[in-house]
Amino acid sequence: MDGMDETSKRILEPYQYLLQLPGKQVRTKLSQAFNHWLNVPEDKIQVCRSDLAFPRMSAWAPSDALGRRVVCGTEYATVRYVGSVPPTAGIWLGVEWDDPQRGKHDGTYEGTQYFKCRHPRGGSFIRPNKANFGVDFLTAVKDRYGLNDEQDGTENTLVFGKKTVEFVGMDSIVEQQSQLNQLVDISVRECAVSHAGQKEEIGRTCSNIRHINLSKNLISSWETVTAIASQVQNLETLNISENKMKFPSTSTSVSSVFSKLKILALNQTEITWTEVLICAPGWPALEELYLTSNNITVLERPGNDVLQTLKLLDLSDNHLPDGNQLHLIAHLPRLEQLILRNTGISSIHFPDAGFGCKTKMFPSLKRLAINDNKISQWSSINELDKLPSLRSLQCHNNPFMDTEKNPETLRQLIIAKISQLEVLNKSEILPAERKGAELDYRKIFGNEWLAAGGNWNPEKNKPSEEFLAAHPRYSSLCLKYGAPEEGELKGQQPLTLKNQLLTLTIRCPENPEQKPVEKKLPESMTIQKVKGLLYRLLKIPGSELKLSYESSKLEGKEVELDNDLKPLQFYSIENGDCVLVRW
């Protein structure tokens, strides 16, 4: 309304809300009619947005431009400077690009430093009309869901004194409002959302929202998130990942804005763990928290009033090389799933529990992911057996796995070392596979057990502390299955010796739909181990397998593989033979 006299402003003010109605035709007709009626230059009332739902860019910058997020084309940046850059004329924005390769300098121009960048070539100067400062939340929602497009509708008129203003699409507006109120799950990812908009407008227009995806927008502060969420009464899921924003640095009064929030994603937001704990009192019902790629390097122990309902925590792609940092979050009472992929962890240790005992740390932890880390010692795998509730483990791409070249043997060792594990690297461990793994483990390390002071006589069985540290489950396996017999240990090959591989065809004669599979198996592999492999390979339900084999040398005959503890070589199986599987 700039440029109008006071009388015109006073006349027009009651009808300004009409300019906010959805639909390009509605706003365009209003603009044309009001401009003609009041004889106001057309560029003084701007009601049209671009087809991309971005506001009209101008040569001036918003008064709060400093620190705000902007997008230029497809590149995101943060405004670090607003002002002149002599000897050029006019206003410039100094921006720090998210992609440092996009910039030209560190905020210094001709010897004067106007702003600072973390990267020596992360900054640039751009004119304000090149920067998109974003739109409000509701505008983005309407445009994302096609509710700002031109729609045909019944013509309507409204009389202002002697002036008549024509409206188009009034009936469709009511329909649009109804559609917005039906939305439960809203995604406005990459829609340049930068602010909440008019107070209470979201709550009036989208009253049934429960899930919001606000990722990769132009949100620059936690206050903006709070302003949006405060208008959503039943918000359960919120994703604000890939928004680089400022978080509170000191404790604030706890409000009920996020009282029903269960799932929160803050990936790539540059939040620190300290800031998480400052905000956490406002998340009393939170169950899942995603914090990947935030450069979190230090953890702190949460107070007894925060994160007490948390069931899942994802800290992947942060730098936490000191495994003892985990002790600081080990007493979250309901934490069931902990994801620590690519965090640089090199060891895991629970010092409160000895060999064969359970730790009080992570009392509810069922699922643990430690893929892509630097764990090099088997002792860390031994420690995982101390977790009382652990059922699932992902541990691919760690150096300790390179100590055993055979992937099947590697899997068997992990299964034998962690007693309650049910799923390993996303593959179910069936009872038959566990039994085979534990029997083999007991036999493989039998000679080492004897050399360390083990004995078949219980009174003389005193294996060394060193042996028990390396094999803390060995004693319990001996109690479960009995100590390995002397005959079992004779001629036992060293674990690291590469056994000869047999190329075998696996066939299911009673299930013709199951295509034959060719596998290479060590000749020393026990029948029990072969069964465990076949359960996974053929996705067979948990029924007892019956194995036999056919050989070209025994044409027309099948040899039953009836002893689970015997290796393949015991049955004289050779390359090219066919293993038959029934259940």
Side-chain angles (χ1 to χ4, degrees):
M1 295 170 66
D2 294 340
M4 300 182 191
D5 57 47
E6 292 302 318
T7 302
S8 298
K9 286 183 180 180
R10 191 167 60 253
I11 293 171
L12 188 57
E13 189 170 5
Y15 310 107
Q16 282 298 299
Y17 75 96
L18 295 172
L19 298 179
Q20 306 300 322
L21 292 174
K24 290 180 182 177
Q25 289 183 345
V26 176
R27 294 192 299 276
T28 302
K29 287 288 186 181
L30 279 171
S31 178
Q32 293 170 349
F34 283 2
N35 291 346
H36 175 74
W37 178 47
L38 295 172
N39 195 27
V40 176
E42 190 169 339
D43 63 350
K44 296 301 182 183
I45 302 180
Q46 297 180 2
V47 293
C48 294
R49 288 190 295 269
S50 74
D51 290 337
L52 292 175
F54 292 159
R56 182 172 296 178
M57 300 178 188
S58 65
W60 57 272
S63 59
D64 62 345
L66 197 63
R68 282 184 61 173
R69 298 280 292 160
V70 294
V71 61
C72 304
T74 59
E75 300 288 343
Y76 288 75
T78 303
V79 178
R80 301 296 187 196
Y81 172 78
V82 180
S84 60
V85 182
T88 60
I91 299 298
W92 290 90
L93 301 179
V95 298
E96 182 177 8
W97 302 102
D98 290 4
D99 177 7
Q101 304 304 318
R102 173 70 174 76
K104 296 181 178 180
H105 50 69
D106 64 352
T108 301
Y109 178 71
E110 293 191 353
T112 301
Q113 186 165 46
Y114 292 89
F115 62 97
K116 293 182 179 180
C117 290
R118 283 173 289 189
H119 192 277
R121 295 184 61 83
S124 294
F125 288 106
I126 63 172
R127 290 296 190 182
N129 64 350
K130 298 293 185 182
N132 172 17
F133 282 88
V135 298
D136 64 89
F137 175 80
L138 202 52
T139 293
V141 170
K142 291 175 181 177
D143 280 283
R144 169 55 64 88
Y145 292 93
L147 300 179
N148 268 341
D149 294 334
E150 295 186 12
Q151 299 183 26
D152 294 331
T154 305
E155 291 189 2
N156 295 270
T157 59
L158 189 61
V159 178
F160 296 98
K162 295 182 180 180
K163 300 287 184 179
T164 300
V165 179
E166 183 181 79
F167 294 83
V168 177
M170 289 296 287
D171 290 346
S172 68
I173 293 171
V174 177
E175 183 182 346
Q176 289 173 8
Q177 299 292 347
S178 174
Q179 290 179 45
L180 286 169
N181 266 319
Q182 292 174 22
L183 292 174
V184 174
D185 191 336
I186 284 178
S187 175
V188 284
R189 176 178 170 81
E190 291 190 88
C191 286
V193 176
S194 62
H195 57 287
Q198 292 188 9
K199 193 175 183 180
E200 299 180 2
E201 187 180 14
I202 299 172
R204 285 196 304 266
T205 311
C206 305
S207 57
N208 286 311
I209 300 177
R210 291 180 182 271
H211 314 283
I212 299 177
N213 182 351
L214 268 167
S215 60
K216 203 168 186 180
N217 277 287
L218 300 178
I219 297 171
S220 55
S221 72
W222 181 249
E223 285 75 11
T224 299
V225 177
T226 303
I228 294 172
S230 65
Q231 300 181 56
V232 183
Q233 297 301 313
N234 297 304
L235 185 61
E236 296 178 8
T237 305
L238 179 60
N239 183 355
I240 49 176
S241 302
E242 299 176 80
N243 286 282
K244 295 184 185 298
M245 68 182 86
K246 290 183 179 179
F247 292 89
S249 57
T250 57
S251 299
T252 56
S253 58
V254 178
S255 67
S256 60
V257 171
F258 301 102
S259 60
K260 297 182 180 179
L261 189 65
K262 293 182 179 180
I263 301 172
L264 177 60
L266 289 164
N267 305 322
Q268 298 181 53
T269 57
E270 299 189 348
I271 193 170
T272 66
W273 183 252
T274 300
E275 290 166 342
V276 168
L277 297 185
I278 289 172
C279 296
W283 312 327
L286 195 65
E287 295 181 359
E288 298 182 15
L289 180 58
Y290 298 86
L291 298 169
T292 69
S293 304
N294 278 310
N295 297 318
I296 294 174
T297 57
V298 177
L299 299 178
E300 300 172 41
R301 182 165 179 164
N304 294 329
D305 59 338
V306 297
L307 303 179
Q308 297 299 293
T309 58
L310 199 63
K311 294 182 179 180
L312 181 152
L313 177 60
D314 189 350
L315 289 166
S316 299
D317 298 306
N318 291 289
H319 191 58
L320 296 165
D322 183 2
N324 292 330
Q325 287 275 310
L326 300 181
H327 300 164
L328 298 170
I329 57 171
H331 298 284
L332 294 172
R334 299 185 186 179
L335 188 65
E336 296 180 0
Q337 185 169 358
L338 181 60
I339 307 172
L340 298 167
R341 297 188 186 95
N342 190 32
T343 53
I345 291 174
S346 58
S347 65
I348 297 174
H349 182 47
F350 304 113
D352 65 322
F355 305 137
C357 300
K358 298 300 181 184
T359 177
K360 293 181 179 179
M361 299 183 186
F362 296 107
S364 303
L365 190 64
K366 295 179 180 178
R367 296 178 292 280
L368 176 64
I370 51 174
N371 312 26
D372 305 302
N373 279 294
K374 298 179 180 179
I375 298 172
S376 58
Q377 301 297 322
W378 279 96
S379 57
S380 291
I381 303 303
N382 293 336
E383 289 291 305
L384 296 180
D385 187 53
K386 296 179 180 180
L387 293 169
S389 303
L390 188 65
R391 298 293 182 271
S392 175
L393 175 67
Q394 293 181 45
C395 58
H396 279 308
N397 299 327
N398 277 283
F400 81 88
M401 302 185 77
D402 296 335
T403 61
E404 174 51 54
K405 300 302 181 184
N406 187 322
E408 285 301 319
T409 302
L410 179 71
R411 178 178 171 87
Q412 300 298 310
L413 288 173
I414 297 172
I415 291 171
K417 283 177 174 289
I418 307 176
S419 60
Q420 295 172 303
L421 210 58
E422 297 174 356
V423 179
L424 175 58
N425 293 325
K426 298 184 179 181
S427 177
E428 183 182 2
I429 302 168
L430 295 170
E433 184 182 17
R434 170 161 292 285
K435 180 180 178 182
E438 292 178 342
L439 285 170
D440 279 354
Y441 188 91
R442 161 184 155 277
K443 182 171 67 173
I444 287 169
F445 295 101
N447 286 323
E448 189 176 331
W449 168 70
L450 289 173
N455 198 289
W456 290 282
N457 184 340
E459 295 181 0
K460 297 181 179 180
N461 181 29
K462 296 179 181 180
S464 67
E465 288 289 311
E466 184 180 2
F467 178 84
L468 292 175
H471 308 283
R473 283 208 71 215
Y474 198 87
S475 296
S476 63
L477 292 177
C478 288
L479 289 173
K480 186 176 181 178
Y481 300 107
E485 296 178 7
E486 189 172 0
E488 287 183 82
L489 303 181
K490 283 185 178 179
Q492 177 65 39
Q493 293 177 319
L495 185 63
T496 55
L497 181 63
K498 185 174 182 179
N499 299 306
Q500 182 179 345
L501 295 178
L502 301 172
T503 301
L504 304 175
T505 300
I506 311 297
R507 189 161 60 85
C508 304
E510 296 175 2
N511 293 270
E513 294 181 1
Q514 179 71 55
K515 295 181 180 180
V517 178
E518 189 175 280
K519 289 291 290 183
K520 290 185 176 182
L521 304 178
E523 62 179 11
S524 62
M525 194 174 193
T526 63
I527 303 305
Q528 187 71 53
K529 267 190 179 183
V530 174
K531 287 182 176 180
L533 168 67
L534 294 174
Y535 276 120
R536 298 192 307 280
L537 181 66
L538 305 177
K539 297 182 172 57
I540 297 170
S543 52
E544 186 65 30
L545 295 185
K546 296 179 180 179
L547 304 186
S548 59
Y549 83 95
E550 293 177 334
S551 171
S552 57
K553 295 181 179 180
L554 302 168
E555 191 171 348
K557 294 183 65 177
E558 280 187 38
V559 177
E560 187 177 354
L561 307 177
D562 54 359
N563 190 331
D564 284 354
L565 299 181
K566 296 296 184 182
L568 290 170
Q569 61 192 3
F570 176 82
Y571 292 96
S572 302
I573 296 179
E574 298 180 355
N575 273 321
D577 288 351
C578 181
V579 175
L580 305 176
V581 186
R582 297 180 176 88
W583 62 89

